[in-house]
Amino acid sequence: MGWWFKMVLWQRVLLALILGVVVGLAFRTFGGTYIADGVTRYAGADFVTVWIKPFGDAFVRLIKMLVVPLVFTTLVTGVISMGHPSKLGSIGGRAFSLYVLTTLIAVSIGLVFGTIFKPGAGIDFTDVVPNVLAGEAPGFGQVLLNIIPTNPVFALSSGNMLSIIFFALLMGVAILIVGKKAKPVGDFFNSFVEVIFKITHWVMEVAPFGVFALITWVTAVKGVETFSSVLLLALALYLGCLTHIALVYGGLIKLVLKLPLIRFFRGILDAQVVAYSTSTSAGTLPVTITCVQDNLGVKPVVAGSVLPLGATINMDGTSLYLGLLALFAANAFGIDLSMTDYAMIALTATLASIGTASIPSASLFMLAIVLPVIGVSAEQTALMVGFILPFDRPLDMMRTLTNVTGDAAVSTAVAKWEGELDEKVYRAVATV
Ligand code: ASP
């Protein structure tokens, strides 16, 4: 076992990912097939779903378990370590502006790649079972109101991120303003956060096994041919996301912040692989926070405040995808788009990505907000969701990786500008 622990974690996780693809394909290819309800099914995939996937599910549950306590305590301690409430304004303002800016660029990249690849052209919807989206999306005013929890304990237990962020910020500011008398509460949170970090480290030790199980399952059930049905969409999304990561985050780190780029990507590799295999950026948050603090030297004051916010509202991969899907719909349903339509797509996709839950396939359900602006009917939207949902997983994996990379890049930028980046750690030879 010594060789295993000699490898740094990201190497173990990457090895698990590659092994997962190989084993998953082997199960799919050699497990045999049978026909059920007129469709071909893979016996190997069934076996993987019953016997291997639960290990992946257990891993996802373990990291999700950490999200609420981690977000709450890192935010409270993050604000306390700011020393003065005014710092919250400058960190928050910088983070929010960068989040919105990068999201707008991401939709634009999505629109460019959508124009080049024309996904959706010539798609035949005749056999598709429509997937009707549940209910009306709440109005913008209601969404804002809902940020204020009527019962903070309930917000914590239901994992309502924006409400948790709101309450944690208030707690932190109040502890700062009360001062000496609130010191025991502050000390409690500071020590609590250490305990949660310890558990996070333990959970990361099982990450390679969880990742192996999840990837084996995705490959066994979906196969590589999944891509071929939505090949152009997948190609446009993967290339679009890679372009966004290279140009926008790469440009930000290298040209704006003047920091070595390789260190950045190496530092967040664990978070990227976990994001890729779990398809949930909220679930990946504990790993993102650990990577950014331990490997990039972002101080807890920034990591603890900027990352939970980012995991909730900053989704560049998602907005890029929403832009692509809008063009997909326009091609599939023969809608001509004007310049105003493009601008409206960019605007609604940005807003929708802010409101998207950080869970698997969440962005598909935001189509109900984006598509009506270009005249796609509710029935057509249902048809599209029904068509894409079965193929969405490999696409979701790439979006989530992009979302998490964006959060890490923005937190590094804010840390540098706020003087909260330990460049010695950033530039040190990566050990994890
Ligand atoms: N799964 C994505 C995330 O958690 C959201 C989405 O695009 O569906 O970041």
Side-chain angles (χ1 to χ4, degrees):
M1 264 339 258
W3 61 273
W4 176 253
F5 288 107
K6 262 199 213 113
M7 265 195 282
V8 289
L9 189 60
W10 67 265
Q11 291 170 341
R12 281 182 262 161
V13 175
L14 214 58
L15 183 70
L17 202 139
I18 297 166
L19 264 181
V21 173
V22 176
V23 175
L25 280 182
F27 269 107
R28 188 175 176 86
T29 318
F30 305 116
T33 55
Y34 63 97
I35 309 267
D37 300 328
V39 277
T40 311
R41 306 194 54 120
Y42 293 80
D46 293 349
F47 178 86
V48 170
T49 305
V50 176
W51 294 104
I52 299 186
K53 183 172 180 268
F55 292 97
D57 292 340
F59 171 61
V60 172
R61 289 183 76 105
L62 280 171
I63 49 178
K64 282 196 177 157
M65 165 186 91
L66 294 170
V67 173
V68 169
L70 194 73
V71 167
F72 191 73
T73 46
T74 49
L75 266 175
V76 176
T77 50
V79 176
I80 300 174
S81 59
M82 286 175 192
H84 196 278
S86 64
K87 186 135 186 185
L88 183 63
S90 85
I91 292 184
R94 283 179 157 147
F96 191 76
S97 326
L98 254 191
Y99 281 151
V100 174
L101 182 72
T102 51
T103 306
L104 272 172
I105 302 177
V107 201
S108 315
I109 293 182
L111 289 175
V112 171
F113 276 83
T115 312
I116 300 173
F117 283 90
K118 298 201 182 2
I123 291 278
D124 180 6
F125 281 109
T126 25
D127 291 334
V128 175
V129 185
N131 192 317
V132 182
L133 304 174
E136 282 275 294
F140 192 60
Q142 192 59 42
V143 171
L144 286 184
L145 259 186
N146 285 348
I147 294 177
I148 306 174
T150 47
N151 177 350
V153 178
F154 181 69
L156 285 172
S157 71
S158 60
N160 184 345
M161 290 316 252
L162 285 177
S163 306
I164 296 175
I165 292 177
F166 180 80
F167 188 63
L169 291 180
L170 277 185
M171 281 276 277
V173 173
I175 293 171
L176 274 183
I177 292 181
V178 172
K180 226 172 109 207
K181 273 199 174 148
K183 198 172 170 295
V185 188
D187 289 345
F188 168 78
F189 280 114
N190 277 322
S191 117
F192 197 84
V193 89
E194 290 301 320
V195 175
I196 297 290
F197 271 122
K198 179 49 83 195
I199 305 179
T200 310
H201 278 117
W202 289 336
V203 171
M204 283 316 292
E205 285 301 316
V206 300
F209 305 99
V211 167
F212 170 77
L214 287 172
I215 296 293
T216 304
W217 171 70
V218 174
T219 345
V221 173
K222 303 279 178 192
V224 272
E225 62 270 28
T226 299
F227 279 104
S228 65
S229 330
V230 280
L231 188 67
L232 287 178
L233 185 65
L235 213 64
L237 178 79
Y238 269 71
L239 287 179
C241 283
L242 289 175
T243 309
H244 185 73
I245 292 175
L247 286 187
V248 179
Y249 308 145
L252 180 66
I253 300 290
K254 182 93 203 154
L255 304 178
V256 181
L257 304 178
K258 311 233 174 333
L259 291 167
L261 199 54
I262 301 294
R263 290 267 179 276
F264 172 76
F265 286 112
R266 207 163 151 184
I268 58 162
L269 211 59
D270 283 349
Q272 286 182 319
V273 231
V274 171
Y276 193 73
S277 38
T278 60
S279 288
T280 143
S281 38
T284 312
L285 188 62
V287 190
T288 321
I289 295 184
T290 325
C291 281
V292 162
Q293 285 187 179
D294 294 358
N295 305 343
L296 300 184
V298 174
K299 301 260 176 74
V301 50
V302 170
S305 53
V306 173
L307 289 173
L309 189 69
T312 315
I313 67 163
N314 179 52
M315 297 199 185
D316 295 355
T318 300
S319 65
L320 194 149
Y321 186 56
L322 287 172
L324 272 176
L325 286 184
L327 295 193
F328 185 100
N331 286 326
F333 302 118
I335 301 169
D336 278 329
L337 297 178
S338 64
M339 270 333 264
T340 326
D341 288 330
Y342 279 97
M344 284 305 288
I345 295 173
L347 202 71
T348 43
T350 303
L351 288 178
S353 78
I354 292 177
T356 308
S358 337
I359 53 169
S361 286
S363 51
L364 276 186
F365 299 90
M366 297 318 258
L367 283 178
I369 298 178
V370 180
L371 294 188
V373 302
I374 54 165
V376 176
S377 71
E379 291 75 35
Q380 287 171 323
T381 306
L383 214 56
M384 239 186 87
V385 177
F387 178 77
I388 294 176
L389 199 56
F391 311 114
D392 191 50
R393 182 67 187 216
L395 310 183
D396 198 2
M397 293 159 67
M398 190 63 196
R399 312 199 282 275
T400 312
L401 183 148
T402 312
N403 294 345
V404 166
T405 309
D407 300 340
V410 169
S411 71
T412 310
V414 174
K416 169 104 187 180
W417 293 331
E418 291 284 332
E420 301 288 355
L421 183 74
D422 187 341
E423 288 200 33
K424 267 211 234 70
V425 175
Y426 186 105
R427 290 171 192 275
V429 178
T431 49
V432 212

